[in-house]
Amino acid sequence: MRATTLHAPGDIRVTEVPDPTLGAPTDAIIKVTAGCICGSDLWPYRGENPITAGNTIGHECIGIVEEVGSEVTSFAPGDFVIVPFCHCDNTCAHCRAGVQSACVNLGMTQSGQGEYALVGQAEGSLVKLDGRPDASLVPSLLALSDVMPTGWHAAVAAGVPEGGTVVVVGDGAVGLCGVLAASVMGAEKVIVMSRHESRQKIATEFGATHIVAARGKEGAAEVKELTDGIGADAVLECVGTDQSMGTAFAVARPGSTVGFVGVPHGVEPPLGRMFQKNVGLRGGMAPVRRYLPELLDLVVSGRINPGLVFDSTLPLDQVAEGYRAMDERRSIKVMLDLEA
Amino acid sequence: MRATTLHAPGDIRVTEVPDPTLGAPTDAIIKVTAGCICGSDLWPYRGENPITAGNTIGHECIGIVEEVGSEVTSFAPGDFVIVPFCHCDNTCAHCRAGVQSACVNLGMTQSGQGEYALVGQAEGSLVKLDGRPDASLVPSLLALSDVMPTGWHAAVAAGVPEGGTVVVVGDGAVGLCGVLAASVMGAEKVIVMSRHESRQKIATEFGATHIVAARGKEGAAEVKELTDGIGADAVLECVGTDQSMGTAFAVARPGSTVGFVGVPHGVEPPLGRMFQKNVGLRGGMAPVRRYLPELLDLVVSGRINPGLVFDSTLPLDQVAEGYRAMDERRSIKVMLDLEA
């Protein structure tokens, strides 16, 4: 099959690789109809994470079940499914506690930017639709494989209170989904820290009530002013750098929590401030499967449209241009149309 | 008056210092009947925090109101009061949100190990008893000025669930109070990590169901076994070192929270693990005034007896021996009897 492979920093290609095969009775193979590029794919692309040259990349996709292992009973070839980027059996103690991203049988989608993806723990991970979705729903359904549940998780971890004030640090696709989550959860004031006009526009469509373009101390001061000097009731840290984490804590009111979902790179949480101000930190990899039923309902009913984060759609052949566009921040998030 | 003063690392004395005076209309002066030594007093005593030679030390006490400023209307000379170590107006936005330890008018008890203590924001901070307490209640009432609310705060921050499993890291006075808090909150299994027989005994009286004497990886492995390999539903970190924090995260189940109240010294939270396992961290300086009414009820009704953490009572003159005994871990916590 044709799939996206990474060969060296910046060297992303579509190459012919062996079709995935069922390696365990709990596996499934999905014919990918749409995949996408994740912000976290940019770390290995930029050479900041170690790679194995020639390996496939990509963990976000939706598609049609092609083949299932003998222990997969709820799904059959032809089913249209959302594929959570992290796989779980949905039965272990951690899954039952709602932390499917720490499942004892945790796995991750392989070759999600290829013609066929391999999914482990298919029974516990996949979520099926009734028939093929309308084309207009495809971007939002694809967003459910990772970016929307991740933004949602930031909001859950931060404990967004109904009627409260929320700050979202980061205007990437995850941050924008965090804005949407906070808005759906009933936050009255949703402040997004964003300098990019195209992202500000989507943030506003997603329910942001205030935009702060300034960064660092100046940005934090603006937020403080917007919150009567008190700070935010909940803060969503959707970047993962030390600077963004610092900003998150600077705008969090005493007693609140910073929900973090950006994979941390070189972050040192300001423990002294956390102690002094009683500001908590919680989050991590999103338990996608936990949120999927609720989020799927919201998408299918038209209440949310997270697919707006895709500002570019490319055929698989042009995936390299997709990586370049996201790396250079010309694009927020790129969808790959495998049926194009 | 006579008060405890610190002159250099290890050089603690009782010296004659000027009586405290009302510096603001919100102040009060308390004739101390009992004070005590805090684990955090050992940091400057050991030379690990900067000091000003000759300054008074001590922030935990109970006693009788001697004099109040013009804006203090709920307390009058002769009232017997609990003095929270951190002072708050109990009216600002942070206080109203239950984070009195981040009050905009935050202060701290001065010369609590002396004959008279100075309290700021007396109106919002002090809690009065009906008359003089019975002598048998004194240790537990004194424990309410800091150590018991601090252990309680660890349990609140960690979100101790009724019927759940809790691990307490640290068998100092705060850790022991954490055990008591978890037990009162209805935890079914309370595991305390403790190597000292005298402390284990109090932990058991406070409701610990299991004791793990091993430390580090071995200790964490024992806890894992006690929790069916899952880890604890809530972890109370009551020490403040990097090792104790590491242990706390090692025994926390995915999705749980580490409640921390030990002033952190050289701690680097394991952010990678926090992210991967979705384990949160929250806590800090205890909002003592928030918990006082409830805890005072529990003490006066005889339901809790946190005063057991005082395994030694000394007259003020012997305060230096008290510091030595706590520094050498010969004593868990030393009460100073100012009426002796």
Side-chain angles (χ1 to χ4, degrees):
Chain A
M1 69 164 180
R2 291 182 315 138
T4 305
T5 48
L6 180 61
H7 298 261
D11 181 3
I12 199 102
R13 307 179 198 167
V14 175
T15 56
E16 193 67 34
V17 299
D19 285 359
T21 54
L22 297 174
T26 46
D27 283 353
I29 291 163
I30 310 298
K31 181 173 163 50
V32 176
T33 59
C36 55
I37 303 171
C38 180
S40 71
D41 292 332
L42 296 179
W43 293 105
Y45 176 77
R46 288 170 178 160
E48 299 186 47
N49 283 0
I51 64 160
T52 302
N55 270 13
T56 61
I57 189 169
H59 54 265
E60 301 178 36
C61 65
I62 54 176
I64 297 160
V65 174
E66 178 79 10
E67 198 182 349
V68 297
S70 58
E71 290 178 18
V72 181
T73 57
S74 302
F75 301 92
D79 285 345
F80 190 92
V81 289
I82 316 271
V83 183
F85 80 95
C86 60
H87 311 151
C88 56
D89 58 28
N90 218 12
T91 59
C92 79
H94 303 324
C95 286
R96 289 198 311 273
V99 199
Q100 283 86 343
S101 45
C103 174
V104 296
N105 287 304
L106 186 67
M108 198 161 176
T109 302
Q110 301 300 312
S111 59
Q113 293 163 7
E115 290 178 311
Y116 294 93
L118 180 64
V119 179
Q121 300 299 328
E123 186 73 18
S125 305
L126 298 173
V127 169
K128 174 162 59 177
L129 269 77
D130 295 333
R132 282 293 296 261
D134 189 85
S136 66
L137 279 182
V138 164
S140 286
L141 294 173
L142 178 59
L144 295 185
S145 71
D146 182 343
V147 65
M148 182 63 210
T150 294
W152 190 265
H153 187 51
V156 169
V160 167
E162 215 179 311
T165 294
V166 176
V167 170
V168 179
V169 181
D171 63 358
V174 171
L176 294 171
C177 288
V179 168
L180 182 53
S183 173
V184 170
M185 291 179 190
E188 193 178 299
K189 212 180 258 190
V190 181
I191 303 166
V192 63
M193 304 193 74
S194 169
R195 307 196 285 185
H196 303 82
E197 206 178 325
S198 60
R199 295 160 193 247
Q200 293 172 353
K201 201 169 151 246
I202 297 174
T204 304
E205 288 195 58
F206 279 177
T209 56
H210 298 76
I211 289 165
V212 170
R215 288 193 173 189
K217 281 187 180 173
E218 202 190 327
E222 273 189 44
V223 170
K224 272 291 175 70
E225 213 177 294
L226 286 171
T227 57
D228 303 321
I230 292 171
D233 299 316
V235 181
L236 282 51
E237 197 289 297
C238 302
V239 182
T241 63
D242 198 49
Q243 197 202 15
S244 60
M245 190 66 90
T247 300
F249 279 101
V251 301
R253 73 179 287 170
S256 70
T257 299
V258 172
F260 78 120
V261 291
V263 183
H265 281 77
V267 174
E268 283 181 34
L271 200 60
R273 188 178 175 87
M274 289 175 69
F275 186 87
Q276 214 184 355
K277 300 290 179 193
N278 266 273
V279 177
L281 177 64
R282 58 182 297 131
M285 206 158 79
V288 178
R289 182 59 180 80
R290 167 178 165 197
Y291 303 132
L292 265 187
E294 183 177 2
L295 294 177
L296 182 57
D297 255 8
L298 290 170
V299 164
V300 170
S301 67
R303 189 142 174 244
I304 64 171
N305 186 10
L308 285 178
V309 297
F310 295 107
D311 56 352
S312 164
T313 300
L314 296 173
L316 179 58
D317 280 345
Q318 291 175 38
V319 66
E321 164 53 19
Y323 272 81
R324 274 194 300 273
M326 281 180 62
D327 182 41
E328 296 162 10
R329 291 181 73 88
R330 282 185 280 117
S331 186
I332 301 172
K333 195 168 174 74
V334 172
M335 180 165 116
L336 298 170
D337 183 352
L338 274 287
E339 298 183 309
Chain B
M1 69 164 181
R2 290 181 316 137
T4 305
T5 48
L6 181 61
H7 298 262
D11 182 3
I12 200 104
R13 307 179 198 166
V14 176
T15 56
E16 194 65 35
V17 300
D19 284 359
T21 53
L22 296 173
T26 47
D27 283 353
I29 292 164
I30 311 298
K31 180 172 163 49
V32 176
T33 58
C36 55
I37 304 172
C38 181
S40 71
D41 292 332
L42 296 179
W43 292 105
Y45 177 76
R46 289 171 177 157
E48 299 186 46
N49 283 0
I51 64 161
T52 302
N55 270 13
T56 61
I57 188 168
H59 55 264
E60 302 178 35
C61 65
I62 54 176
I64 297 161
V65 174
E66 178 80 12
E67 197 183 349
V68 296
S70 59
E71 289 178 21
V72 181
T73 57
S74 302
F75 302 91
D79 284 347
F80 190 92
V81 290
I82 316 271
V83 183
F85 80 94
C86 61
H87 312 153
C88 56
D89 59 28
N90 218 12
T91 58
C92 79
H94 303 325
C95 286
R96 290 199 309 274
V99 199
Q100 282 87 344
S101 44
C103 174
V104 296
N105 287 305
L106 186 67
M108 200 159 174
T109 302
Q110 300 300 312
S111 59
Q113 293 162 9
E115 290 179 310
Y116 294 93
L118 181 63
V119 179
Q121 300 300 327
E123 186 72 18
S125 304
L126 298 173
V127 169
K128 174 161 60 174
L129 268 77
D130 295 333
R132 282 293 294 261
D134 189 84
S136 66
L137 278 183
V138 164
S140 286
L141 294 172
L142 178 59
L144 295 185
S145 71
D146 182 343
V147 64
M148 182 62 211
T150 295
W152 190 265
H153 187 51
V156 169
V160 168
E162 215 179 312
T165 294
V166 175
V167 170
V168 179
V169 181
D171 62 359
V174 172
L176 294 171
C177 288
V179 168
L180 182 53
S183 173
V184 170
M185 291 178 189
E188 193 178 298
K189 213 181 258 189
V190 181
I191 303 166
V192 62
M193 304 193 75
S194 169
R195 307 195 287 183
H196 303 82
E197 207 178 324
S198 60
R199 295 159 192 247
Q200 293 172 353
K201 203 171 149 246
I202 297 174
T204 304
E205 287 196 58
F206 279 177
T209 55
H210 298 77
I211 289 164
V212 170
R215 290 192 172 189
K217 282 188 180 172
E218 202 190 328
E222 273 188 44
V223 171
K224 272 290 175 71
E225 213 176 294
L226 286 171
T227 57
D228 303 321
I230 291 170
D233 299 316
V235 181
L236 282 51
E237 198 289 296
C238 302
V239 182
T241 63
D242 198 49
Q243 196 201 15
S244 60
M245 191 65 92
T247 300
F249 278 101
V251 300
R253 73 178 288 171
S256 70
T257 299
V258 172
F260 78 122
V261 291
V263 183
H265 281 76
V267 174
E268 283 180 34
L271 200 61
R273 187 177 176 87
M274 289 176 69
F275 186 88
Q276 213 183 355
K277 300 290 181 192
N278 266 273
V279 177
L281 177 64
R282 60 182 296 133
M285 206 157 80
V288 177
R289 183 60 181 80
R290 167 178 164 198
Y291 303 132
L292 265 188
E294 181 176 4
L295 293 178
L296 183 57
D297 255 8
L298 289 171
V299 164
V300 170
S301 67
R303 191 147 169 241
I304 63 171
N305 186 11
L308 286 179
V309 297
F310 296 108
D311 56 351
S312 166
T313 301
L314 297 172
L316 179 59
D317 279 346
Q318 292 176 37
V319 66
E321 164 53 20
Y323 273 80
R324 274 193 299 274
M326 282 180 62
D327 182 40
E328 295 162 10
R329 290 180 75 86
R330 283 184 282 117
S331 188
I332 300 172
K333 194 167 174 76
V334 173
M335 179 165 117
L336 298 170
D337 183 353
L338 274 288
E339 299 182 307

